[in-house]
Amino acid sequence: MESIVNSNLILGAILSLLFSVIAFFVRQLHSDFRKVEQNLSEIITSTEVIKANMNAESVRIFERINFHEKRLEQLEVYLLKHFEEQAIHPPLTPQKT
């Protein structure tokens, strides 16, 4: 009878030790998942900041492109008018005698 009690005691101690080890690793796994979740939220925040900066830069680039297109159109109109005026009224050049 004593051997049964003794073997039950040893088996209980081994099971207790195994459950303690399992609990330790589950706790470690849980803390690792928390860290992964925190890192993921930081990455999402960084991505949103980068995306907002890229959108602002692209808007700024499109504004500059539109500005330059308008300037080119103005220059084209100016040059076209200037060349038309020269074609209608050619500059007077002194004639050599």
Side-chain angles (χ1 to χ4, degrees):
M1 178 84 161
E2 245 179 68
S3 67
I4 294 175
V5 172
N6 204 9
S7 65
N8 283 342
L9 186 64
I10 291 174
L11 183 62
I14 291 174
L15 286 174
S16 176
L17 182 64
L18 285 174
F19 282 133
S20 298
V21 169
I22 290 170
F24 172 76
F25 284 118
V26 167
R27 240 183 285 142
Q28 291 295 321
L29 184 64
H30 187 328
S31 67
D32 288 345
F33 274 118
R34 281 186 183 166
K35 289 178 185 176
V36 167
E37 183 181 7
Q38 183 181 7
N39 289 341
L40 184 62
S41 66
E42 289 176 4
I43 289 172
I44 289 172
T45 304
S46 298
T47 304
E48 289 173 356
V49 168
I50 291 170
K51 187 177 178 182
N53 287 340
M54 290 297 294
N55 285 339
E57 286 297 319
S58 67
V59 166
R60 190 168 156 252
I61 288 171
F62 284 125
E63 286 175 355
R64 288 189 61 122
I65 289 172
N66 289 336
F67 171 74
H68 288 299
E69 284 178 350
K70 288 178 185 176
R71 289 283 310 264
L72 278 174
E73 286 176 8
Q74 290 173 353
L75 285 172
E76 288 172 350
V77 168
Y78 172 77
L79 289 174
L80 185 62
K81 285 181 182 178
H82 181 72
F83 286 131
E84 285 176 352
E85 286 177 6
Q86 280 187 351
I88 294 172
H89 306 290
L92 297 174
T93 56
Q95 294 181 354
K96 294 182 184 177
T97 56

